[in-house]
């Protein structure tokens, strides 16, 4: 038997320690959360992606009474980004979530389905996607979706 250890490096910053590029991305994610349609969970999530052509594209979660029919902010953003900028690759994504008008104190990470969808675009780019998870008390940064999805499903 062989034993393997899987670990993920997560850098934790205060908002003020972020680069200007990451701050801009976070602010776009926070703004996008205002466009969430979340009448059931009241959990408003925004995501913003920075593309290789310099564009920033944002998305928000969209709920539906038939729960599986809604979609998360992360997938909304990356699908729209690729649909409107098919020749650009995604370099980074920022995610922010609020409830009752206040942003979450701790960073909020993408769900498993979003991690798998983001992995597809990371593979398409051919390099790790920077992930900036905003929380009012901490901002977590991970260099690559694959780090958030160990033993991922991949046929590439």
């Amino acid at each position: 038997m062989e034993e393997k250890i899987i670990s993920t490096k997560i850098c934790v910053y205060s908002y003020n320690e972020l680069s200007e590029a990451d701050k801009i991305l976070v602010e776009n994610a926070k703004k996008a959360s205002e466009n969430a349609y979340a009448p059931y969970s009241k959990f408003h999530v925004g995501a913003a992606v920075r593309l290789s052509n310099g564009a920033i594209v944002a998305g928000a979660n969209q709920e539906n009474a038939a729960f599986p029919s809604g979609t998360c902010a992360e997938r909304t953003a990356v699908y729209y980004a690729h649909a409107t900028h098919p020749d650009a690759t995604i370099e980074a994504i920022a995610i922010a979530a609020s409830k009752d008008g206040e942003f979450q104190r701790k960073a909020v990470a993408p769900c498993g389905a979003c991690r798998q969808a983001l992995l597809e675009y990371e593979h398409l780019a051919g390099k790790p996607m920077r992930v900036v998870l905003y929380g009012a008390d901490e901002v977590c940064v991970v260099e690559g979706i694959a780090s958030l999805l160990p033993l991922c499903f991949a046929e590439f």
Side-chain angles (χ1 to χ4, degrees), residues 104-144:
Q104 299 297 293
R105 307 305 309 163
K106 298 288 184 184
V108 176
C111 72
C114 285
R115 292 176 195 208
Q116 187 66 47
L118 293 168
L119 181 67
E120 192 79 19
Y121 290 99
E122 181 172 278
H123 173 71
L124 184 63
K127 62 181 182 178
M129 181 187 304
R130 185 172 176 83
V131 183
V132 182
L133 307 171
Y134 175 77
D137 292 341
E138 68 178 13
V139 181
C140 296
V141 178
V142 179
E143 296 299 335

Side-chain angles (χ1 to χ4, degrees), residues 5-150:
I5 297 172
I6 299 171
S7 63
T8 299
K9 178 182 173 186
I10 300 172
C11 296
V12 181
Y13 298 91
S14 71
Y15 177 82
N16 292 332
E17 293 175 310
L18 294 176
S19 69
E20 284 306 310
D22 283 348
K23 285 180 183 176
I24 289 168
L25 206 56
V26 165
E27 291 306 315
N28 275 272
K30 290 169 68 176
K31 180 75 173 159
S33 72
E34 297 173 9
N35 297 326
Y37 177 67
Y40 308 104
S41 71
K42 310 285 190 247
F43 198 65
H44 295 238
V45 182
V49 295
R50 183 175 52 248
L51 303 176
S52 58
N53 65 7
I56 293 178
V57 176
N61 60 317
Q62 304 295 309
E63 294 180 351
N64 188 286
F67 289 115
S69 299
T71 190
C72 299
E74 299 90 334
R75 283 180 280 155
T76 300
V78 297
Y79 294 162
Y80 184 67
H82 190 70
T84 57
H85 300 267
D87 296 327
T89 57
I90 297 171
E91 295 182 340
I93 184 168
I95 303 159
S98 67
K99 190 165 185 169
D100 300 324
E102 291 192 31
F103 284 98
Q104 299 297 293
R105 307 305 309 163
K106 298 288 184 184
V108 176
C111 72
C114 285
R115 292 176 195 208
Q116 187 66 47
L118 293 168
L119 181 67
E120 192 79 19
Y121 290 99
E122 181 172 278
H123 173 71
L124 184 63
K127 62 181 182 178
M129 181 187 304
R130 185 172 176 83
V131 183
V132 182
L133 307 171
Y134 175 77
D137 292 341
E138 68 178 13
V139 181
C140 296
V141 178
V142 179
E143 296 299 335
I145 292 296
S147 295
L148 292 177
L149 192 61

